[in-house]
């Protein structure tokens, strides 16, 4: 599973990664999760280890096993009233992306066509089996992996992007060259754990803490046309926001709840 020595039992590390996948909508509710044999091969552990991890997930009520059908997800992370959108400026995001591009080096892992993960398909408003152009890239900073970026684009935009361009140009520049106009960007930042795929490309142990950033770019004509899922090593990424009070926009908090 990983050559890095860890005091945490293997089954618990598998459980932690699987739990993160489940609560973040990695697996669709109506399709069984991979079998014990498939997971054992993917995590490079024994089936007994996978079985122990799945037993913990079942005890938490996150999965249920149906004889003859497989194991299915039974729960999802719940949204709360605190998950509200903060409105900001698209130009500020573009400036940040340009700064990141100037200080890092890109490596293209893959560029192909296929289905987007169910959670990405929902965000883009497309059918689960709809074809998209997919790309995976790693950004290196100071000679070490800094981020793993997975992009999903509508074919009419993604088909115009080549692998050589991906290795030297920010995706936001490429999609605009392909004819898209970014009118709105939805962005969500969460914490997660490295699965076997992320661990391989970021050169970290499975189960390491990561920051996950998902951005959905919207065109007035195309609608959501590009979704990016970016994983950052938690010890190398800092998300900083400066908030300023607008003149004439004062308001009072209701009640006496603590800040």
């Amino acid at each position: 599973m990983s050559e890095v020595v860890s005091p945490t039992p293997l089954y618990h590390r598998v459980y932690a990664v699987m739990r993160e996948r489940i609560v973040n909508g990695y697996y669709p509710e109506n399709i069984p999760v991979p079998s014990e044999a498939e997971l054992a091969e993917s995590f490079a552990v024994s089936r007994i280890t996978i079985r122990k991890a799945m037993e913990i997930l079942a005890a938490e009520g996150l999965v249920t096993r149906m004889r003859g059908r497989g194991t299915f997800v039974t729960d999802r992370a719940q949204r709360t009233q605190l998950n509200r959108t903060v409105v900001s400026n698209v130009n500020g995001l573009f400036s940040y992306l340009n700064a990141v591009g100037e200080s890092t080096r890109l490596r293209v892992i893959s560029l192909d066509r296929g289905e987007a993960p169910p959670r990405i398909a929902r965000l883009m408003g497309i059918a689960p089996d709809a074809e998209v152009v997919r790309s995976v890239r790693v950004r290196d900073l100071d000679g070490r992996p800094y981020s793993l970026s997975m992009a999903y684009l509508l074919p009419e935009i993604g088909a115009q992007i080549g692998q050589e361009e991906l290795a030297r140009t920010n995706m936001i520049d490429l999609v605009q060259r392909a004819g898209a106009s970014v009118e709105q960007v939805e962005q969500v930042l969460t914490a997660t754990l490295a699965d076997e795929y992320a661990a391989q490309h970021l050169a970290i142990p499975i189960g390491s803490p990561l920051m996950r950033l998902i951005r959905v770019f919207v065109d007035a004509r195309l609608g959501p046309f590009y979704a990016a899922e970016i994983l950052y090593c938690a010890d190398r990424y800092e998300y900083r926001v400066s908030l300023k009070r607008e003149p004439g926009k004062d308001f009072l908090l209701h009640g006496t709840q603590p800040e």
Side-chain angles (χ1 to χ4, degrees), residues 209-228:
L210 298 174
M211 297 303 296
R212 176 197 284 127
L213 185 63
I214 295 181
R215 294 191 182 106
V216 179
F217 296 79
V218 181
D219 177 282
R221 175 178 59 88
L222 298 170
F225 69 94
Y226 161 38

Side-chain angles (χ1 to χ4, degrees), residues 50-69:
I50 297 296
R51 190 171 300 122
K52 286 184 178 180
M54 299 305 289
E55 287 173 353
I56 300 175
L57 293 169
E60 289 188 8
L62 295 178
V63 298
T64 183
R65 298 183 178 186
M66 300 182 182
R67 186 179 298 275
R69 295 187 58 198

Side-chain angles (χ1 to χ4, degrees), residues 65-85:
R65 298 183 178 186
M66 300 182 182
R67 186 179 298 275
R69 295 187 58 198
T71 300
F72 291 79
V73 170
T74 60
D75 200 8
R76 286 288 186 271
Q78 298 296 311
R79 293 180 180 272
T80 73
Q81 292 183 350
L82 297 180
N83 292 339
R84 296 180 179 178
T85 300

